[in-house]
């Protein structure tokens, strides 16, 4: 795979994550958190299973199996923390906490992959980070709400750490096993965990009914999230983890514009500015590589 294709995959992941988050928000409100995660896993497994048969032999390696199993468990835990933080805290504040994922991912890439960046690349990464923060901040929000958000902020911080490790182990799995297996096998693990939970709560029939009732939202959510993680895995299999994550981290801008257009949400001028900065710097970062 050429480096040019890796950058295209990174931009594809950014676009699909933006669309996916927009749909996940709708789906979670209709059928629940664990249920939405389960459907994402089921749809992803169905899409990817025909593509992974040639890679199944890679599971004969104990080291490959262990890293993929660990990735599946971390993905489940990070997703649960992500959902719980959004339930407990306020979206505008929690989204900012989630962005800690980016610098933690870059630090992991520096420590374990020995990745280094030029001054202009570092500057663009910082601008992307600041742009996303601008998107998440509403005027006067911290002054009004921050004191009541200790629990949500703590959960959001744990989620950001978890997602950084998901990014890292996705890169490890993509580079050392395969990009397809880095998505398919961990998703198999967290889907099984989700289904066991749903069965334990005796809500499986409701889970199926909601899947049928909201099938178009569920299906489109699962497809876009699957494509996002597949594109991300393909990108980090060939390109630097910190660089790819910096490019994809502008995905909230996509979700922001979708929210404005379809949900008629009202946002402030500095949020538009943040989206413009994040997207522009992502494209510049991609083109100078």
């Amino acid at each position: 795979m050429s480096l040019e294709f890796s950058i295209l995959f990174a931009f594809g992941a950014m676009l699909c994550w933006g669309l996916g988050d927009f749909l996940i928000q709708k789906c979670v409100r209709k059928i629940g958190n664990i249920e939405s995660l389960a459907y994402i896993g089921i749809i992803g497994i169905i899409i990817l299973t025909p593509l992974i048969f040639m890679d199944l032999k890679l599971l004969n390696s104990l080291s490959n199996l262990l890293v993929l199993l660990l990735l599946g468990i971390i993905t489940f835990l990070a997703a649960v923390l992500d959902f719980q933080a959004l339930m407990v805290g306020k979206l505008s504040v929690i989204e900012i906490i989630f962005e800690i994922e980016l610098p933690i991912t870059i630090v992991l890439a520096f420590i374990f992959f020995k990745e280094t960046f030029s001054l202009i690349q570092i500057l663009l990464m910082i601008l992307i980070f600041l742009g996303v923060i601008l998107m998440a901040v509403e005027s006067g929000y911290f002054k009004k709400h921050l004191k009541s958000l200790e629990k949500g902020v703590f959960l959001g911080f744990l989620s950001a750490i978890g997602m950084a490790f998901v990014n890292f182990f996705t890169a490890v799995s993509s580079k050392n096993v395969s990009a397809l297996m880095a998505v398919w096998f961990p998703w198999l693990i967290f889907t099984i965990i989700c289904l066991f939970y749903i069965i334990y709560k005796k809500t499986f029939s409701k889970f199926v009914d909601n899947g049928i009732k909201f099938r178009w939202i569920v299906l489109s959510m699962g497809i876009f999230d699957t494509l996002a993680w597949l594109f991300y895995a393909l990108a980090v299999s060939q390109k630097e983890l910190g660089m790819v994550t910096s490019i994809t981290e502008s995905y909230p801008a996509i979700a922001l514009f979708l929210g404005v257009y379809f949900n008629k949400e009202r946002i402030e001028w500095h949020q538009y500015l943040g989206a413009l900065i994040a997207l522009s710097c992502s494209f510049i970062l991609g083109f100078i590589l």
Side-chain angles (χ1 to χ4, degrees), residues 102-263:
L102 176 57
I104 295 175
T105 300
I106 292 173
V107 169
L108 290 172
F110 173 76
I111 294 173
F112 292 101
F113 293 145
K114 310 301 181 184
E115 293 182 4
T116 57
F117 310 101
S118 68
L119 182 61
I120 184 64
Q121 289 171 334
I122 293 172
L123 177 61
L124 288 168
M125 290 178 188
I126 293 172
L127 287 173
I128 290 169
F129 181 69
L130 294 176
V132 175
I133 289 178
L134 276 176
M135 280 188 277
V137 176
E138 296 176 3
S139 295
Y141 198 88
F142 283 109
K143 183 177 180 181
K144 183 178 179 182
H145 292 290
L146 190 58
K147 293 182 180 179
S148 64
L149 291 171
E150 287 83 359
K151 187 176 180 181
V153 167
F154 179 68
L155 289 170
F157 181 72
L158 291 179
S159 174
I161 295 174
M163 288 309 300
F165 276 94
V166 170
N167 295 340
F168 171 71
F169 280 107
T170 298
V172 171
S173 302
S174 298
K175 294 176 187 293
N176 298 329
V177 187
S178 81
L180 285 169
M181 292 302 290
V183 180
W184 181 83
F185 189 85
W187 285 36
L188 178 65
I189 299 301
F190 79 66
T191 302
I192 291 171
I193 296 172
C194 289
L195 290 176
F196 268 115
Y197 175 83
I198 292 168
I199 292 170
Y200 173 77
K201 296 292 287 186
K202 299 180 180 179
T203 57
F204 186 76
S205 60
K206 181 181 179 181
F207 168 72
V208 174
D209 291 341
N210 281 334
I212 296 171
K213 182 178 180 182
F214 302 109
R215 56 189 175 275
W216 294 116
I217 294 177
V218 167
L219 183 61
S220 54
M221 170 191 69
I223 290 172
F224 280 117
D225 212 52
T226 299
L227 289 175
W229 278 103
L230 178 59
F231 289 153
Y232 182 78
L234 288 167
V236 296
S237 69
Q238 297 292 321
K239 198 66 182 167
E240 292 88 349
L241 170 62
M243 203 69 63
V244 171
T245 304
S246 297
I247 292 172
T248 60
E249 206 66 18
S250 296
Y251 72 87
I254 307 297
L256 180 147
F257 288 125
L258 289 171
V260 170
Y261 185 79
F262 289 102
N263 296 343

Side-chain angles (χ1 to χ4, degrees), residues 4 7-16 120-121 124-125 127-128 243-251 253-254 257 274-289:
E4 289 75 15
I7 298 304
L8 288 176
F9 283 134
F11 283 119
M14 178 182 70
L15 177 61
C16 289
I120 184 64
Q121 289 171 334
L124 288 168
M125 290 178 188
L127 287 173
I128 290 169
M243 203 69 63
V244 171
T245 304
S246 297
I247 292 172
T248 60
E249 206 66 18
S250 296
Y251 72 87
I254 307 297
F257 288 125
L276 180 62
I277 291 172
L279 286 175
S280 299
C281 290
S282 291
F283 279 101
I284 294 171
L285 186 60
F287 281 118
I288 68 173
L289 295 179

